[in-house]
Amino acid sequence: MGHIQKIILLVVIVPLALFPGGLISYILLFEKLAFETTMWIPVGMTILGICSLIFHFKTKNFYKLLNKQDSIPKVEPLFWILDIGFGVVYTLMSLYLMYVMNQLKPMREYTIMLAFIIPLFIAGIWTLLEAFYLNKLIQIHKFAHRHIEIEEIKGDGFSA
């Protein structure tokens, strides 16, 4: 089940990760606007999204390995941090957009804005929960694996 969840998360993250950078690229290339300081925010969101994609590709087989009691390959801590950063940024961005939407006078475009905000929020929370859950499973797996190794070293004490 975790493996399927990981694939669904990858499918959801791809457009959310690439959209901000694509939007800035479109604005700069076709609208011929100058690059402004605030444009670093979507560029940063895209960079975090790409790092999150790399993290999920590296960890997509972890759930299968946990079930087989195989050793788990190491993922660099930087990718864990950047994946969590991706989740935090998208969650905060969705909350900020919800705040801005509530400050505006009522308009008909609420459903359009919500159609954009809700996937941001879901992807952000889902990424955070999945990263913490996977880390917890890895810690449990390492503890059990060490326990099995200790039991194998101890032996049963009856061999001569």
Side-chain angles (χ1 to χ4, degrees), residues 121-136:
F121 183 76
I122 290 171
I125 293 294
W126 194 1
T127 301
L128 287 172
L129 292 175
E130 197 274 335
F132 289 121
Y133 179 70
L134 185 60
N135 185 42
K136 181 179 176 183

Side-chain angles (χ1 to χ4, degrees), residues 55-142:
F55 170 80
H56 290 298
F57 273 119
K58 287 186 172 201
T59 60
K60 71 178 166 83
N61 292 325
F62 277 25
Y63 288 106
K64 288 182 179 179
L65 294 174
L66 288 169
N67 293 337
K68 295 179 182 176
Q69 298 298 325
D70 291 341
S71 61
I72 298 173
K74 184 169 174 50
V75 175
E76 295 82 15
L78 178 64
F79 283 112
W80 284 92
I81 292 168
L82 292 174
D83 182 58
I84 292 170
F86 172 81
V88 168
V89 165
Y90 271 70
T91 303
L92 291 177
M93 181 62 74
S94 65
L95 293 174
Y96 174 73
L97 290 174
M98 188 68 95
Y99 170 76
V100 168
M101 188 176 82
N102 285 333
Q103 296 301 316
L104 299 174
K105 54 186 163 184
M107 57 183 182
R108 292 181 293 176
E109 292 84 20
Y110 272 1
T111 56
I112 295 170
M113 289 182 73
L114 285 176
F116 179 71
I117 293 171
I118 291 172
L120 286 178
F121 183 76
I122 290 171
I125 293 294
W126 194 1
T127 301
L128 287 172
L129 292 175
E130 197 274 335
F132 289 121
Y133 179 70
L134 185 60
N135 185 42
K136 181 179 176 183
L137 287 179
I138 290 171
Q139 297 305 321
I140 291 169
H141 175 76
K142 285 181 181 179

